Each structure stands twice: as structure tokens, then as C-alpha cells.
Amino acid sequence: MNPSRDQILGSIRRSFRRGPLAPEALAACETRLVTHRRNLIPERARTLPPRGQVELFVTMAEAVNATVTRVKDARDVPAAIAEYLARFNLPQRLVRAPDPVLDELPWSGRPLLETRRGVAEDSDLVGVTACFAAIAETGTLMLHSGAAGPTRNNFLPDTHIAVVRGDQVVAAYEDGWDRLRAARGGADGGVAMPRTVNFITGPSRTADIEQKIELGAHGPRRLHIVLVEDGEAS
Amino acid sequence: MKVTSQAFKANARHALGDPNLQKAMTNLRSGFVERRAHAVSQLPEWEALRDEAVAIKKHTLAQLDFYLEEFERRVVANGGKVHWCRDAAEANAAVLAICRGLGARTVTKGKSMIGEEMGVNDYLEANGVTPVETDLGEYIIQIRHEPPSHIIAPAIHLVKEQIAQSFRETHRDLDPARQLKDSRQMCDEARAVLRPRFLAADVGITGANFLVAETGSSIIVTNEGNGDLTQTLPKAHVVLASLEKVVPTLEDAATILRLLARSATGQEFSTYTTVSTGPRRPDDPDGPGEYHVVLLDNGRSALLGGEFEDMLRCIRCAACLNHCPVYQAIGGQSYGWVYPGPMGSVLTPSLIGVDQAGDLPNASTFCGRCEEVCPMKIPLPRMMRHWREREFQRHLPPRAYRLGLAAWAFFARRPALYRVAADWAARMLGYVGRARGRFRALPLAAGWTRTRDLPAPEGRSFMSLWAARQSASRSAQ
């Protein structure tokens, strides 16, 4: 039906002087696809207790030019954001992702902070999002698309502010995938993948001109993380 | 893309005399080389991770047909489409058909070496679709109408004054009196110029660092965020990928990702690692309505099972370029096609033919740094040697070179004669050159003496000195 497809697959098999995979090889490969076997994961974060993972996440995120403020309670998030914007002389106006986690925050307690709920436009200078998980190993945020998470909001605004709960911090990328599988398990034991999963480690950067690192190439110039410590697993 | 690999020697001579290029290439060491060394030193499991990554790729390549079919099955299940393409012409036609189907006038592009291999920009432009490169380095070389000189830093051969000049010539609607002195100003200007292009594009084209069979996903790794704006904003996302990009699972991708950024830029992890699976879902507030994977073979399937199969493990990190003394001296454009440096010296003859690119595997000192830093442990020097052998078998090197090698082989196979001849030659040259201690010119040795003096031998060959020493120590016992 598709001559190019058949020819490419045929060429692969000719190179190996074989036909399609033999039953045992086929079964081994099929098993590999559904068991999610882990390879070596560096010790750096894996052996730390949850508290230590949160500390490592903060250290690694700050090492790649993200900034972090900690609050004890989710109700303090709007105030922390307002203070951050004031500190960097940024407008007190933001777009927030249509995420129930953000909807529950007491935005009305900061009447001077103008918020809009929805999809980011080019004119939005500050965007606030939640996140799905945070990876301690490299200080990486894990976000995914969906009704509550427009992807544009992670990239268009000059300043990206992400709200992270302490219990969202995991050791490694593999832990993030396991959480996604648990949250979005498909019928076949696999995962119903969102259209996009974004792993974000610090603000946008480039070194394309004489190897000099500049922040804010096309994505956000600033990445600020508000860490809510009450959600930490003990 | 136009091939100038045949002119490698002339290209290289030109590059050695280009002061801007020579100045720009000095940034390589402080940039990539030192940062990589630091990142590797921070990860005690580095060597073990390399071994695991090699095992993953070997396993996948050995069952490549299975994993590609599984990948396709899951792309389709998620609402996307895979276009199988034997060569660049088929791949270009597939991309154009997608653009035409959407009535596309402009496409934005994330950096893609497969796109360079296809020459997709020229093809689209000739067919009425305007491609806009959005990676800063790639944008710079696009407006200068140059090919990339590095697989992850395409404009590394330029100094900032050249880039400023190109910006002034291209961004004519901006104030001619504006300052463009440093990278910050140029970065801001490119950001401002390209933002409306992102928003206006009908189709977004990216490459792929990985395809994941388990989920039917493509993964791209960027620092600028251009790849994400490219694939999020337009009506369709087109992924250009070659066959060997597929890995079985998300876990396998995670393992190789731990090697990629550290080897490439010396970062612990790239700023944006993006996993894309199919088009926008019914309840998604944004994202492209179509998702296409253009899957290119272009000669790769024929490399499987042979002496160049290991090359298909390459993850395009560019560590071998950054650490290569030849690449450091001449930059990437001298190599004359898409892939420069050691990985290019192996891959280019495989993909476009050794008759076109026979000089490339010879552009190596065999110092072995490339294999040492390769995260996928690809035996690059050995494969360059394979190409040299094939080139020789096919009588491609010039007659004088072949005669010289034949003469050397005649003596090398007769050790006693070789020793006598070498000893005689050393004494002769030592005698003739005794006044100056060096030669500025010598018959048959112009290749050496054109750019440097040949020191005169100081009398006897190593072998005869060694023999004398051995017999002296024997008689002393």
C-alpha cells in the first residue's frame, strides 16, 4: 500500500539478512514497551529523603538562573507574586493558566494585582502556571498541556511564574513519568499522553553569538518559582 | 544542500586564512570544552550511563523495524501521521503537501539537521512557501545565506561584528542609528523581529532528538524556546526525523538525555525538553491541529548490519566536533556538507558517497579525542580508517599518493630492508641538512614543507640506535 514504507522496512531486514522478528525477539521487545523498566538513575537525588529532594530542587533551579521564594501556605502565593513583581519593577498584571489549583488561591486579597484567567497572548508580560511535578535532580519543572494547561502560557510571557507544591518534588525524570502514568493511565496499562509535556530548567537562553550566554532568547527572560512548603510529604 | 566536500582541501586552506573565523573558533574551548568537562565531573555515574545508553541504542537498532512500526502505530492512535520517505526528494514532497493542504504561506522552523540534509528551506522557497529559521544561530546563517558550521551552534564561525552587519542589512525598517555592540542587543533584536513571525506562521517544522516507540512521541531539546513556539502556535506541527532517532521507552530517552546536554553544552539539562504526542486534544485550549512525522531513511537502513552501523548511535551532541583539533582549526563549513567534524567525516561518505567526500576521513590526526568524549562510544577513528581503506581500494586517492604508499608498503613488508633503507635515508638527510639543521623544501615532501620546515635527522634511525643500545647492554652483562 505504501511503497516507501515497505521498502524502508525491507531494506532494514535485508541489511540484517532476516525477515520480520522471530516470535521470541518480538515478545521480548513487546514486554520492554509495557514494563517501563528503569535504567541507572544517578544517586544524587534518588537517595535523599523528601525534604532533601526539595532542597536539591531549589539549589539546582537557582544554579540555572531560576529564582525561588518559599511560602508556608498556598494562601500566601498571590502576595509572594505581587512582591516578586514589585521587586523587579514588573507590571502588577498577569495571565494565569485556567488551572483549578490557581483558581483556589485568594487573588482578591491583592486588589492591586490585576489577573486574567486564560490562554496567554503576545501582550501578556507575566504568566502564572501550576506544574505537574518538579525534578530534584536538575531543578526541572514538569508541566503538561490540557484544559488546565495551555502550552503558550509557558513560553509567550516575558516572565514565567510557576507555583510548585513541596509534595510535587520527585527525585528523577522517571519518577515524573510514573506519576503521569498513575494520573493518566490508559486502558492498555500505558499512559494517555497529553499533547505536550514540557520539562523546563531555568529561563530561556542562547549562546549562539560568540558563545556568550544570554537569557531570554525566545521564551521567558525570567523563571520564578513559588514553592509552597505546606504540601511537603513528611 | 549543495555539496562542496570535494573541495575540502581548498575550503580548509581558505578557512585557515580567514581572521574572523580563526578569532571566532577560539570561543569553542572556553565555551563547550570546559563546560562539558565540568558537567561530566559532577556526575559520578557518567561512565555507567554511557554503557547503558550504548546498550539501549544497540538493542533498538537491532530491532529497528519493530520499533518503527510500533512508533507509527502509536502516532496514528494519537491522531498523528507518519510519512515514510526513502530520500530527501520524498521528504520534501511530503512537507510541501502538508503546507499546500493548509494553504500555508510561511513556516517557522526549529533547528533540524535532517532539514539541512533535505535542503527543505530551498525547496519550500522555490515552491512559494517562506521558511523562517527561529533558532538564533540558524536565523543568523539563514539571513547570511550560509550553511551551518556546527550541528548545535550553526553560527559559531562568526564574530559579533559580522552578525551586527547582517542584522543591519536585513532589518532595514529599524533605526539605522541603533546600537548593536553586544550579544545582548542582538539577541533582543532577533527576539523582537521573530516574535511576530512565530505568531503568523501556518506550519511549524522542528527536528527530533528522539522518537519514543512506547508512546508515539517526538522529543526536542532546546535552550531558546524557539522550538516550542514553533510547534505550539501554528496549525500543524511537522517533525523531521531520521530512522535511528527511535528509542523504546520514555525511560530509555531519559537515560540518553542525561548524556546529551552535558556532552553538548555542558549543561546539566537543556532548558527545554519537550515531549510531543499527536495534535491538540478536544479539550486543549491551544496547540497545532495536525501532527506529522516525516521519517527519513536517506541511506541509513543500508548501514545497518555493516561496519558503519555504530554511527547510527550518534545523538548529534557535537562533542566530537568541539574536541577535534582539525575542526577547531578550520571550522565546519570546510567539510562541505551538513555534518562536519569527526562524526561528519564518517557519516558524510556513508550518505553521499566516498567519491564525493573521500578527503573527509583523511582530515584527522587520529588523536582519538572524539571517541573518548563521544557519549555513545562510537569508534570514530576506526570508522575513518575503514573509509580510508575503501577509498584506497577504489583507487580514489591521487597517483602520487598511491605510489608513495605502495613504495612504503614494499619496504614495510621487508623489515630488514626497511631498517637499512631508513638508516641510509636518515644519514643522507642528516648529512645534507647538517648546515641549517632543517629543510625548507624537499622533493616529494612539499605537502609538509609548504607550511613548515622539516627538521634534519641527526644521523641515525631509531632502530639502529636501539640495536646499538641493546648490544651494548648485553656486552656489559
Side-chain angles (χ1 to χ4, degrees):
Chain A
M1 231 175 77
N2 180 339
S4 297
R5 182 182 192 279
D6 294 345
Q7 283 198 21
I8 291 169
L9 291 171
S11 169
I12 293 170
R13 289 166 189 152
R14 252 195 323 284
S15 285
F16 287 127
R17 294 170 199 83
R18 63 163 171 79
L21 290 189
E24 312 90 80
L26 190 68
C29 290
E30 280 171 345
T31 308
R32 185 174 175 134
L33 287 185
V34 295
T35 47
H36 317 305
R37 186 175 60 90
R38 291 180 168 204
N39 305 304
L40 173 74
I41 296 177
E43 260 192 46
R44 180 192 286 179
R46 194 165 49 85
T47 51
L48 292 174
R51 177 82 228 166
Q53 288 178 9
V54 170
E55 293 309 315
L56 180 63
F57 168 73
V58 170
T59 306
M60 297 307 287
E62 287 177 339
V64 289
N65 308 90
T67 49
V68 181
T69 49
R70 301 167 187 239
V71 296
K72 287 278 172 254
D73 190 304
R75 283 169 300 188
D76 302 332
V77 169
I81 290 174
E83 280 158 27
Y84 170 80
L85 295 176
R87 179 150 46 102
F88 286 89
N89 225 355
L90 297 167
Q92 296 278 330
R93 188 182 316 123
L94 57 86
V95 59
R96 63 182 160 90
D99 189 313
V101 170
L102 299 180
D103 292 341
E104 283 169 16
L105 302 178
W107 299 101
S108 54
R110 304 294 301 196
L112 293 180
L113 185 61
E114 204 180 304
T115 75
R116 181 173 72 78
R117 181 185 191 272
V119 179
E121 302 296 332
D122 189 36
S123 52
D124 287 307
L125 292 177
V126 180
V128 176
T129 70
C131 79
F132 176 76
I135 318 291
E137 185 178 344
T138 45
T140 301
L141 298 171
M142 179 181 183
L143 295 84
H144 69 73
S145 59
T151 306
R152 292 171 165 236
N153 294 40
N154 310 338
F155 294 97
L156 279 180
D158 265 19
T159 302
H160 178 193
I161 301 174
V163 180
V164 180
R165 279 194 332 270
D167 63 1
Q168 290 181 308
V169 176
V170 295
Y173 319 114
E174 287 83 346
D175 300 307
W177 288 128
D178 277 353
R179 283 204 181 187
L180 193 74
R181 287 180 182 122
R184 301 172 61 102
D188 58 351
V191 56
M193 286 291 281
R195 184 190 68 79
T196 289
V197 178
N198 294 122
F199 290 94
I200 298 177
T201 314
S204 160
R205 67 188 61 212
T206 183
D208 273 350
I209 298 175
E210 293 192 344
Q211 289 273 291
K212 189 162 179 303
I213 294 172
E214 300 290 354
L215 300 182
H218 291 296
R221 297 169 193 270
R222 283 169 290 270
L223 175 64
H224 183 62
I225 294 163
V226 181
L227 180 67
V228 184
E229 301 196 88
D230 72 342
E232 272 168 48
S234 52
Chain B
M1 188 173 155
K2 193 168 163 281
V3 181
T4 64
S5 302
Q6 317 87 329
F8 174 78
K9 287 180 183 167
N11 295 346
R13 258 197 299 282
H14 179 77
L16 287 169
D18 178 342
N20 282 329
L21 181 141
Q22 292 301 322
K23 178 162 176 259
M25 295 306 285
T26 59
N27 297 321
L28 204 70
R29 180 155 293 279
S30 56
F32 288 134
V33 174
E34 285 169 16
R35 284 181 208 150
R36 176 197 167 276
H38 178 76
V40 169
S41 75
Q42 297 302 300
L43 193 66
E45 293 92 347
W46 183 253
E47 287 305 317
L49 282 168
R50 282 174 86 191
D51 289 336
E52 294 214 335
V54 170
I56 291 166
K57 278 282 190 182
K58 278 189 168 172
H59 167 84
T60 316
L61 289 172
Q63 356 274 333
L64 189 61
D65 46 344
F66 168 81
Y67 284 116
L68 288 173
E69 286 189 285
E70 285 297 302
F71 170 73
E72 180 187 38
R73 203 163 66 75
R74 287 173 169 88
V75 170
V76 172
N78 282 305
K81 187 162 188 229
V82 176
H83 305 257
W84 299 72
C85 302
R86 282 169 296 186
D87 53 29
E90 286 189 1
N92 281 327
V95 174
L96 184 63
I98 296 163
C99 293
R100 292 237 162 109
L102 289 163
R105 287 167 50 212
T106 67
V107 307
T108 39
K109 277 191 69 220
K111 207 176 73 57
S112 158
M113 296 318 290
I114 299 301
E116 298 291 339
E117 212 177 303
M118 291 160 56
V120 67
N121 285 1
D122 290 345
Y123 183 82
L124 288 177
E125 201 138 22
N127 286 282
V129 181
T130 307
V132 181
E133 292 288 354
T134 61
D135 170 83
L136 178 58
E138 199 75 30
Y139 175 71
I140 291 166
I141 61 159
Q142 187 186 29
I143 63 175
R144 292 174 61 88
H145 308 287
E146 283 186 44
S149 69
H150 190 282
I151 59 176
I152 66 164
I156 197 162
H157 61 293
L158 299 171
V159 294
K160 59 179 191 284
E161 292 76 15
Q162 291 172 293
I163 297 166
Q165 173 76 15
S166 299
F167 275 25
R168 288 189 193 284
E169 287 165 11
T170 310
H171 307 151
R172 289 195 170 278
D173 46 342
L174 298 178
D175 177 11
R178 71 192 183 281
Q179 276 215 334
L180 275 179
K181 273 193 171 152
D182 57 34
S183 50
R184 179 74 261 162
Q185 291 163 336
M186 287 182 259
C187 191
D188 286 341
E189 179 162 318
R191 181 184 172 102
V193 166
L194 284 167
R195 188 52 79 88
R197 311 302 298 264
F198 281 118
L199 294 160
D202 303 297
V203 171
I205 299 177
T206 69
N209 292 90
F210 303 93
L211 306 173
V212 183
E214 174 196 353
T215 53
S217 310
S218 55
I219 301 183
I220 60 165
V221 173
T222 74
N223 281 311
E224 298 185 3
N226 65 309
D228 291 281
L229 291 173
T230 294
Q231 64 174 274
T232 304
L233 302 174
K235 291 176 240 173
H237 175 199
V238 178
V239 180
L240 309 179
S242 49
L243 306 182
E244 80 280 14
K245 294 288 174 207
V246 72
V247 292
T249 63
L250 295 167
E251 277 71 14
D252 294 327
T255 297
I256 305 177
L257 280 165
R258 288 193 174 94
L259 299 170
L260 178 57
R262 291 180 173 94
S263 297
T265 55
Q267 288 167 284
E268 292 271 340
F269 213 51
S270 298
T271 305
Y272 302 113
T273 298
T274 299
V275 183
S276 308
T277 316
R280 154 184 204 165
R281 310 292 192 263
D283 63 346
D284 279 352
D286 64 358
E290 294 182 18
Y291 175 80
H292 299 270
V293 179
V294 173
L295 191 60
L296 180 69
D297 183 345
N298 216 20
R300 288 167 172 81
S301 57
L303 298 181
L304 292 165
E307 58 199 332
F308 297 108
E309 178 181 316
D310 290 344
M311 194 59 221
L312 297 178
R313 291 205 298 269
C314 176
I315 55 172
R316 306 289 189 269
C317 69
C320 64
L321 281 62
N322 299 337
H323 291 79
C324 174
V326 178
Y327 178 89
Q328 287 174 359
I330 61 174
Q333 289 174 348
S334 304
Y335 291 80
W337 198 55
V338 179
Y339 303 105
M343 58 78 65
S345 295
V346 174
L347 196 58
T348 305
S350 313
L351 299 183
I352 66 171
V354 68
D355 49 332
Q356 298 267 326
D359 279 338
L360 304 192
N362 289 292
S364 165
T365 64
F366 278 173
C367 70
R369 277 296 271 156
C370 50
E371 183 174 356
E372 219 174 283
V373 297
C374 175
M376 306 305 290
K377 294 192 166 182
I378 299 171
L380 290 157
R382 194 184 78 206
M383 289 193 285
M384 281 186 256
R385 206 171 290 122
H386 284 323
W387 275 124
R388 291 187 187 184
E389 285 159 10
R390 285 204 192 179
E391 190 201 14
F392 191 77
Q393 281 158 11
R394 290 186 51 189
H395 299 269
L396 292 173
R399 198 174 138 77
Y401 178 87
R402 297 182 59 81
L403 281 175
L405 268 185
W408 183 80
F410 174 84
F411 286 103
R413 278 196 290 258
R414 294 164 180 81
L417 186 60
Y418 187 100
R419 248 169 261 150
V420 172
D423 205 43
W424 178 82
R427 285 169 194 265
M428 276 299 291
L429 286 174
Y431 178 75
V432 176
R434 68 191 184 287
R436 284 168 168 272
R438 61 200 155 86
F439 296 94
R440 302 178 74 170
L442 207 62
L444 302 176
W448 177 282
T449 55
R450 203 164 27 230
T451 47
R452 49 216 182 297
D453 291 346
L454 182 76
E458 292 190 357
R460 302 169 66 187
S461 74
F462 170 81
M463 286 303 281
S464 73
L465 286 172
W466 179 252
R469 197 181 140 148
Q470 290 292 90
S471 73
S473 74
R474 256 196 307 276
S475 59
Q477 276 166 6

